[in-house]
Every structure is written in C-alpha cells, then in structure tokens.
Amino acid sequence: MTASLRSVAARAGVSVRTVSNVVNDFPHVAPATRAAVQAAIAELGYRPNLAARQLRRGRTGAIGLVVPEVHSPYFSQLASVIVRLAETRGLTVLIDQTEGDPERERRLLGGSTFGVDGMIVSPWSLDVAELARTDTVPLVLLGERSGRSALDHVGFDNVAAARDATAHLVAVGRQRIAAVGTQPHLTNDTGRQRLEGYHQALRAAGRTPDPRLEVAVRALHRADGVVAMESLLDRPVVPDAVFCFTDELALGAIRALADRGLRVPEDVAIVGFDDIEDGRFSVPTLTTIAPDKEQIATGCLDTLAARMLDPDGAGQEVVTTYELVVRQSSGEHRNSAPDQGGRAPGTTPKIH
Amino acid sequence: MTASLRSVAARAGVSVRTVSNVVNDFPHVAPATRAAVQAAIAELGYRPNLAARQLRRGRTGAIGLVVPEVHSPYFSQLASVIVRLAETRGLTVLIDQTEGDPERERRLLGGSTFGVDGMIVSPWSLDVAELARTDTVPLVLLGERSGRSALDHVGFDNVAAARDATAHLVAVGRQRIAAVGTQPHLTNDTGRQRLEGYHQALRAAGRTPDPRLEVAVRALHRADGVVAMESLLDRPVVPDAVFCFTDELALGAIRALADRGLRVPEDVAIVGFDDIEDGRFSVPTLTTIAPDKEQIATGCLDTLAARMLDPDGAGQEVVTTYELVVRQSSGEHRNSAPDQGGRAPGTTPKIH
DNA sequence: CACGTTGCATGCAACGTTGCAAGAGCCGAG
DNA sequence: CTCGGCTCTTGCAACGTTGCATGCAACGTG
C-alpha cells in the first residue's frame, strides 16, 4: 500500500492539511513541524499522487508533443530541445507519435489523451480545419503554415528557405537542378511550399521549371531518397544538382549516387533541408537549410504558455529564422580532388 | 467549462452511474438509454477526465520509457517500436530522457514521476543497486546486464556480440584492429562488456590486445567518433580496422577517415554496433551488430506486464538475439575500385 | 488592558470517476 | 398467483489531494 497524506499525517501527529502545506512549501509552517512532517514523509516513502493532485488542481504540469514519428532525426532532435527547455519551466513533456495515421492523430487530439495541459502538434495527415474544430486543450501548431486559422502557429518561411536553397545551387553554377520530395497524396502543405520556393528561385534566375526534374516521394526517409534519385538518373535529362526537401531524402540520394559511381558534389551537387545531425558527419557532409531548433522550441513553449493563460486570445503567429549552411555536398569545385573539395588532411569538418 | 458525467446525466435524464456504464461499455444498458446517453455525450462534447478515472481505478494505462537521449538514433528507433507495440496492447507510452544526468534520472524514477503503471528504463549513470532501492512502480531494465539483481532485465549478450564483430574483422584479414568506445568515467557497464568481447576475439585469434589500439570516448556520438579516430591516426601504430561500440561512433570515424583521405574499407575497415537506420545508407554502408529491436520491445512489454500482475515475483531475465550484418564498411576487397568495393552500378544497397 | 495583526494549524468540502450492492420492473416456471 | 431470476438502473461512498475559511495562540501597539 502506498503512503498518502493521511498516513503521513497520522505518523507525524499533525493534520492532513499541514502535511499538504509542507509538501507544497507553504510558507507559514513552524520549523519543528516541518521537520517532523519531513521525517514522516521519508520514513513512509510518501510520494504525491499526481492523479489526485491533477483532479483537484485542474492542471497537470505536463504538455504533449505529438509528432509523426519519433525516430525521424529531425523530430527527435527537435523533441530533445523541447524537452530540455520545458524542464527549465517546470513542465514535463510527453511525446507521442502518430505514424501518419489520421485515425491515430485524431484520437490523440480529440479523444481522451493522457492528461496534459496543452499540446504541441506537428500535423501530418489532418488538415488545419479539422484541427481547429477539436475543442480540447490549448494547441500550438508546428510546421508549415497553411492558410489562416485561429490556431497558434510556430514555424519558418518554407517558401523562402526553399528559394534560398535553390538559389545557392544556381549560384554555384548548376544548370539542371532537380527537386525531390513533393507528396501529392498528402493534404500536408510542406512539399507544395518547398516546391514553390524552388520554382521562384529558378524563375528569378531566368529559367523555366522543368516538371521532368521534379520527383514525388511516398515518404521522406532515406529509402525514398534512394528511389527518387535512381528514378532521376534513369531519365533522359540527368540533373547536375538536386534539392531534397529533407536531409534524410538527401542522404538517400547521396547513397544512390555512390551506387552509380557518381561523385558528390563533382557530378551532382546535393542540398538538403532540416540540418539533422547525420548531415554534419556524412560523406560528403551535407549542405542544408538549418531551421533554428532552439527558436522553434522556445516559440512553441512561449506561445503555449500564453494560450494556457488566455484560452480565448487571438491566434498567434511566430515566424522563426533559418540559415543556409553550406558544406561539402554543394562545394563549388566541380573538378577538384576526390576528397571532398580538396580539404587539407587533418582539418576537422566545419560544424555549425 | 468542460462536461462531466454529471452534466451528461442531467442532459440525458439518467443517473450519473448509467452514463458511466455507457462510457465503459457495461453490457446491461437498454439500447434506448444507451442511445440517449450517447446523444447527450456528443452534444456536450464530453471527454472522460483521466485524472479522476486514474484516481478511482488506481491505474493509468500508461507506461514510461526512460532513455538517456531521445535524439539518439538507436533509442529513438527502439522507442518507436515500443510505442507501436504498446499501442496494440492498449498502453500509452510516455517517453522521457535523462540526458545522462544522474539527478534527473533519480528524480524521474524515485520522485513523483508522471503517473504511470510501470517503467522501462535504460539506465545510464545510475547503478543497478540504486535502481533496485527505489521502490516505486514496476520496472524493467533495458540494456547491459551487469551483475545479478532482483530487477527484471531485457537485453542481449554484449560480450558475445562484440566478440562476433571483432572476429569478423579478423576473418576478413585485418591485422591491427582498434576498439573505440570505452567510457571509464561511467558506472555503466556496456563499454566494459564490449571491450571484453573484443579482447576475447583477439585472444581466440592468437593475438595479444594492444592498449594503444583502445580509445576511450566522452560520449557515444558522431563527434566523439571523429575525435577518437583522429587520435588513433595520430598514434605510431595506425590500425587497419576499427570496431566502434556504437554506429554513431562508427559514422564519426568514417567522417574522420574521409578528412584524411583514407578509404573505407580499403585502408581501414569499420564495424559499428546498433544497426541504426543511418548506417544502412551511409557512404560506405556500415557493417554492424543488429540487435533485434522488435524482440527487445516485445520482451520489455511482456516482462513489464507480468511484473505489473505479480509485483513480488522473482526477477526475470530476457536474453534477445542479435545479428552481424556485413555491409560495405568491412568489405573484404582491400584494393578494389574507390567506389565501395566495386559494386555494380545500378544495384541498390542491400538493406536488412 | 483591549485590540488588531501575524504566524501557525486545522476541518470541511469538493474535484470526476467507478466499485459495491441493492432496488425496480419484468418474465417465465412452478 | 407466487416466486426466483433476469435485465436494467441507481445511490452511496471513496480514491488523495487542495481551496477556502476559520480557529487558536502569541505578539506588538495604542
């Protein structure tokens, strides 16, 4: 049987209420009483029952983080930051994954989720309209901003970021720049926005987007990048650069190029998106768009905190920054030594 | 104000208890009553209050998964499997990370964790003795098995796996096989066990372990692998193979070798440990020890379920299997074409 | 000395739910 | 017609905690 306030109170010879005061650091407790209660707590191994506390207080002290997949590097790295920052605010983060299953996504949100005071949600297959309808705990949306909605949202400008990535490939002299990562089968808008940025950059360079250089994928993993790259290499027009909508796709593309004996960046330059840890150490290291994960995490937590205080306030829009990080996979030297752009032996890779 | 059983009952003109019966699918409810109650539930948007339910039932339906780091590929991939399998058993998984902080680890375990019925814990800085002392919810240990304890444990034979990995490098003809990944500053036994397996394999091959080929690391990430590999390359005795205690270390080592213009596997063969997704697509693809993650997840959930039914039963020991997966990084051809052991163009990498 | 103030401790009730046990109405068997 | 057993429904109490209000004593001040 686990110890309760009652048993501790009996043990210490005080009232239940006094024990509660000690546990909650209520100021007006005599030192002697406090010591006695603490002794009793230690002896009985008392732990507050969080269910009861939540029931009484109406709050949990926990927030949910709902992502499509826990094992995706981008999300797990972001989750890690959120958990760390939330802790400094006295919040516990409960992570859950939807695996892109709309039903599961719906259940996690609308249904009786585990008791949390609020949620940070990276929607996948659910559209914003449906999300807005679920009147449950305070919600902060994470990811692409598709259309106006009353919901709070934290994210960066996908179109601009994709434009910068593509413009970089133009700047280093690439002629046939492919795009990998659209997902026409999803309501999710991320792919469309990145494609739009890609188009804008091409037009800004006076070029006409070529649909034969745009490849759709089923998911955004390495395996999908391999498939997409192989499909590109089998087409009549072979690209000399590929903008991949995620780093994972990019790493898959690099793998596929290695299989064909093609060199990165000499034969094909690659740019990814997300700045996952892997890309900083891959061979070659990966040029990518690096969203500011700390900023995203902070934005989510701030916005969620504000929303919890004022549930009926207007929807807030937080735009975070990003950065183009140029590494080996898009180096400018087209005919340099096989060793990643002629870097001197012994130098460590530049890590941002 | 959120709807409660009471408000639904008032709305439907029945008792609170009857509403509860409907919500819990109690069999003896007249169809008409059930329909009326369900209508009221829908109108009011009633959702069960989980805190109250937990308080009353004494159970949560949730289990905790405590890992050192959420963003580590091995743990995030394992977590993903556990979450998926737990769901089929009607359990929610709450993931939390300790970041190797003993204090945080202690607090998550002993302290008032979020209400869970049991926990799967991958200990890092806490030794088993301390874990055994914390008398809280049912616990299943994950990872290396160090010494007997009353606690349930799921894991594989680290010594044997490390022996197999090293024996493989011997078999492909490597002479100076280094080991990267000991962590003398941790109480954690994993590093010691893998080193032991490494030693066993060397001795079985009639060789004497050379301390100059053993490198300690601070953590087990890619960056640590880079540092370790560079340190190895600066020593008088340069290895022609490296057994890294994690895939992340191995990927860091490969990166460092690329910086020096050394080829993998021609100049140095690499074997990792964990079979993370990254290693299946890296350039070159990574030979590794692949623990059966499904088996580990199932083992944890089964053992935990048993422990929750019988809190005082004897500690159980589940040993899972693993597999040596040979990929490009330890290919046998020492002088083949620069392109990963001369694989034919167009073939996809072999993915296990 | 009377009074208000402060420090400390307490009792009561309620959060929303479910276990228990029993009540109400109905049916068919004896 | 009576009675036992069935289906359906209900009231009561309790899970462990905290908000509120209040009681009690000791203190300083006028």
Side-chain angles (χ1 to χ4, degrees):
Chain A
M1 192 50 202
T2 123
S4 72
L5 279 189
R6 179 155 44 230
S7 55
V8 174
R11 175 85 169 174
V14 297
S15 78
V16 169
R17 195 57 248 245
T18 298
V19 179
S20 173
N21 285 339
V22 171
V23 171
N24 291 289
D25 283 325
F26 183 76
H28 299 307
V29 178
T33 313
R34 163 163 281 130
V37 170
Q38 278 165 342
I41 286 178
E43 285 172 45
L44 298 177
Y46 167 77
R47 313 247 177 246
N49 179 317
L50 290 118
R53 177 174 283 177
Q54 175 186 358
L55 175 58
R56 186 60 242 222
R57 286 189 184 164
R59 282 175 301 103
T60 316
I63 61 174
L65 172 61
V66 179
V67 298
E69 348 185 85
V70 171
H71 60 274
S72 145
Y74 176 69
F75 285 118
S76 68
Q77 285 164 33
L78 181 59
S80 186
V81 178
I82 291 179
V83 169
R84 181 158 43 76
L85 290 180
E87 198 197 355
T88 69
R89 308 179 178 209
L91 286 173
T92 305
V93 178
L94 310 181
I95 307 169
D96 221 324
Q97 69 180 349
T98 62
E99 308 220 20
D101 174 10
E103 204 38 64
R104 183 162 164 73
E105 204 159 305
R106 215 167 275 128
R107 184 158 46 76
L108 271 176
L109 292 175
S112 44
T113 317
F114 204 78
V116 292
D117 297 339
M119 289 186 123
I120 300 172
V121 180
S122 176
W124 192 244
S125 41
L126 245 48
D127 68 355
V128 183
E130 175 158 2
L131 276 173
R133 241 179 297 126
T134 68
D135 55 338
T136 163
V137 291
L139 218 64
V140 172
L141 244 53
L142 182 57
E144 96 276 4
R145 173 195 59 210
S146 47
R148 285 284 127 212
S149 89
L151 292 173
D152 296 316
H153 176 259
V154 175
F156 49 89
D157 188 337
N158 263 298
V159 177
R163 195 171 52 219
D164 291 354
T166 310
H168 164 66
L169 289 170
V170 171
V172 297
R174 300 296 165 151
Q175 296 303 321
R176 297 176 307 284
I177 304 173
V180 164
T182 57
Q183 298 188 282
H185 60 293
L186 290 185
T187 59
N188 190 302
D189 248 7
T190 309
R192 273 180 278 279
Q193 294 184 2
R194 296 188 184 172
L195 187 68
E196 170 61 20
Y198 162 78
H199 285 164
Q200 287 184 9
L202 290 183
R203 292 203 200 89
R207 305 186 190 176
T208 310
D210 180 350
R212 289 171 303 173
L213 287 175
E214 298 169 6
V215 188
V217 295
R218 216 185 52 72
L220 301 174
H221 303 302
R222 292 176 180 83
D224 304 293
V226 170
V227 171
M229 191 71 234
E230 284 176 347
S231 133
L232 268 175
L233 293 177
D234 289 339
R235 298 182 186 190
V237 184
V238 172
D240 62 356
V242 183
F243 168 40
C244 298
F245 291 4
T246 72
D247 279 0
E248 286 194 84
L249 287 173
L251 293 171
I254 290 176
R255 173 93 290 265
L257 288 165
D259 282 337
R260 299 277 184 121
L262 292 170
R263 294 164 304 164
V264 178
E266 292 81 358
D267 300 316
V268 180
I270 301 283
V271 172
F273 203 118
D274 283 345
D275 189 29
I276 63 177
E277 179 88 356
D278 323 34
R280 305 180 187 190
F281 293 91
S282 56
V283 180
T285 56
L286 186 62
T287 295
T288 192
I289 295 288
D292 189 328
K293 298 197 184 74
E294 295 266 337
Q295 216 178 69
I296 293 175
T298 307
C300 285
L301 292 171
D302 286 346
T303 310
L304 191 54
R307 169 69 42 184
M308 294 195 297
L309 288 178
D310 174 21
D312 300 317
Q316 226 183 320
E317 184 69 33
V318 177
V319 179
T320 60
T321 61
Y322 62 88
E323 197 186 353
L324 173 70
V325 180
V326 179
R327 302 204 186 95
Q328 297 168 351
S329 69
S330 70
E332 304 192 17
H333 312 285
R334 299 205 52 177
N335 293 309
S336 58
D339 173 33
Q340 293 84 34
R343 299 184 57 249
T347 57
T348 48
K350 188 176 166 202
I351 300 170
H352 298 260
Chain B
M1 192 50 204
T2 126
S4 71
L5 280 189
R6 178 154 46 230
S7 55
V8 174
R11 175 85 169 177
V14 297
S15 77
V16 170
R17 195 57 247 243
T18 298
V19 179
S20 173
N21 285 340
V22 170
V23 171
N24 292 288
D25 282 325
F26 183 75
H28 299 306
V29 178
T33 313
R34 162 162 283 133
V37 171
Q38 278 165 342
I41 287 178
E43 285 172 47
L44 297 177
Y46 166 78
R47 313 244 179 248
N49 179 318
L50 290 119
R53 178 174 281 176
Q54 175 186 357
L55 175 59
R56 187 59 242 224
R57 288 190 181 163
R59 282 175 300 105
T60 316
I63 60 173
L65 172 61
V66 179
V67 297
E69 349 186 81
V70 171
H71 61 272
S72 146
Y74 176 68
F75 285 118
S76 67
Q77 285 164 33
L78 181 60
S80 185
V81 178
I82 291 180
V83 169
R84 181 158 43 77
L85 291 180
E87 199 198 354
T88 68
R89 309 181 177 208
L91 286 173
T92 306
V93 178
L94 311 181
I95 307 170
D96 221 324
Q97 68 180 350
T98 62
E99 308 220 19
D101 174 9
E103 204 37 63
R104 183 162 164 73
E105 203 158 307
R106 216 168 274 127
R107 184 159 46 77
L108 271 176
L109 292 175
S112 46
T113 317
F114 204 77
V116 290
D117 297 338
M119 290 185 124
I120 301 171
V121 180
S122 175
W124 191 245
S125 41
L126 245 48
D127 68 355
V128 182
E130 175 159 1
L131 276 173
R133 242 179 295 125
T134 69
D135 54 339
T136 164
V137 291
L139 218 64
V140 171
L141 244 53
L142 182 56
E144 97 275 5
R145 173 195 59 210
S146 48
R148 285 284 129 212
S149 88
L151 292 172
D152 294 317
H153 176 260
V154 175
F156 50 89
D157 188 337
N158 263 299
V159 178
R163 195 171 52 219
D164 291 354
T166 310
H168 164 65
L169 289 170
V170 171
V172 296
R174 301 295 165 152
Q175 296 303 321
R176 297 175 307 284
I177 304 172
V180 165
T182 57
Q183 297 187 283
H185 59 294
L186 290 185
T187 59
N188 190 302
D189 248 8
T190 309
R192 274 180 277 279
Q193 294 183 2
R194 295 188 185 172
L195 188 68
E196 169 62 19
Y198 161 78
H199 285 164
Q200 287 184 9
L202 290 183
R203 292 203 200 90
R207 305 185 189 175
T208 310
D210 181 350
R212 290 171 302 173
L213 287 175
E214 298 169 7
V215 188
V217 294
R218 215 186 52 74
L220 301 174
H221 302 303
R222 292 177 181 81
D224 304 293
V226 170
V227 171
M229 191 72 234
E230 283 174 348
S231 134
L232 267 175
L233 293 177
D234 289 339
R235 296 181 188 191
V237 184
V238 172
D240 61 356
V242 184
F243 168 40
C244 298
F245 291 3
T246 72
D247 278 0
E248 286 194 84
L249 287 173
L251 292 170
I254 290 176
R255 172 92 291 263
L257 288 165
D259 283 338
R260 300 276 183 120
L262 292 170
R263 295 163 304 163
V264 177
E266 292 81 357
D267 300 316
V268 180
I270 300 284
V271 172
F273 202 117
D274 282 345
D275 189 30
I276 64 178
E277 180 87 357
D278 323 35
R280 306 180 186 189
F281 293 92
S282 57
V283 179
T285 55
L286 185 61
T287 296
T288 192
I289 294 288
D292 189 327
K293 299 196 183 75
E294 295 266 336
Q295 217 178 69
I296 293 174
T298 306
C300 285
L301 292 171
D302 286 346
T303 310
L304 191 54
R307 169 69 42 186
M308 294 195 298
L309 288 178
D310 174 21
D312 300 317
Q316 226 182 320
E317 184 69 33
V318 178
V319 179
T320 61
T321 61
Y322 63 88
E323 197 185 353
L324 172 70
V325 180
V326 178
R327 302 203 185 95
Q328 296 169 350
S329 69
S330 69
E332 305 192 17
H333 313 284
R334 299 205 51 176
N335 292 309
S336 59
D339 172 34
Q340 293 83 33
R343 301 184 57 249
T347 57
T348 47
K350 188 176 166 202
I351 300 168
H352 298 260

